[in-house]
Amino acid sequence: MSKSTRPDQMGLIGDLLMEVADKHLTMTKEGESYRLHKTDKDPDPFFKYLLDNSTDGKSFTIEELRNFDNPDVYAHYHNWSSRKSAGIDKYINLGAKHMSNVIKGAAYVSFGLTALYLLTEAM
């Protein structure tokens, strides 16, 4: 499992699939690849940029995405990555924070039980 705080290519594909699920894009199989098409809903600005700058101005394939050579693509990708990584710490650190609370709780219970035992033994 990656511990990066920035989305990677798998995050990009996941976000692309969410755009399809939310009907901001449609996807059709085209040979060994898939083609993403504009719908009447606006997709994420990064995908809108890709669509607007694609060969036909309204769709692109996954293969075309891999080979996209517009010089501004990196800046748009960076903006997408920054938007998607905003607030990610609360999800990445959730496990560590939860375990910290469990350990603290267990320590308090142990202390309480020990104190109770000592008090009952003293009586």
Side-chain angles (χ1 to χ4, degrees), residues 18-115:
M18 288 303 301
E19 292 287 322
V20 172
D22 291 339
K23 300 188 182 345
H24 294 158
L25 300 171
T26 60
M27 182 168 56
T28 56
K29 184 137 174 75
E30 186 174 288
E32 296 296 314
S33 189
Y34 291 88
R35 181 167 291 278
L36 287 300
H37 306 267
K38 279 186 179 181
T39 66
D40 58 345
K41 295 182 178 182
D42 280 334
D44 177 90
F46 179 61
F47 299 117
K48 183 173 180 355
Y49 165 79
L50 292 174
L51 288 162
D52 291 345
N53 290 282
S54 64
T55 305
D56 66 3
K58 56 188 172 186
S59 70
F60 62 89
T61 64
I62 299 297
E63 189 60 34
E64 290 169 342
L65 174 59
R66 287 186 186 123
N67 298 319
F68 204 81
D69 64 355
N70 189 308
D72 296 330
V73 74
Y74 179 76
H76 288 274
Y77 175 81
H78 181 73
N79 289 339
W80 168 83
S81 179
S82 294
R83 277 194 317 279
K84 296 302 173 175
S85 65
I88 199 168
D89 289 342
K90 67 182 177 183
Y91 298 106
I92 288 178
N93 293 330
L94 181 62
K97 185 184 278 185
H98 175 70
M99 284 308 295
S100 175
N101 290 338
V102 168
I103 291 169
K104 286 178 188 173
Y108 290 133
V109 168
S110 296
F111 177 74
L113 289 174
T114 302

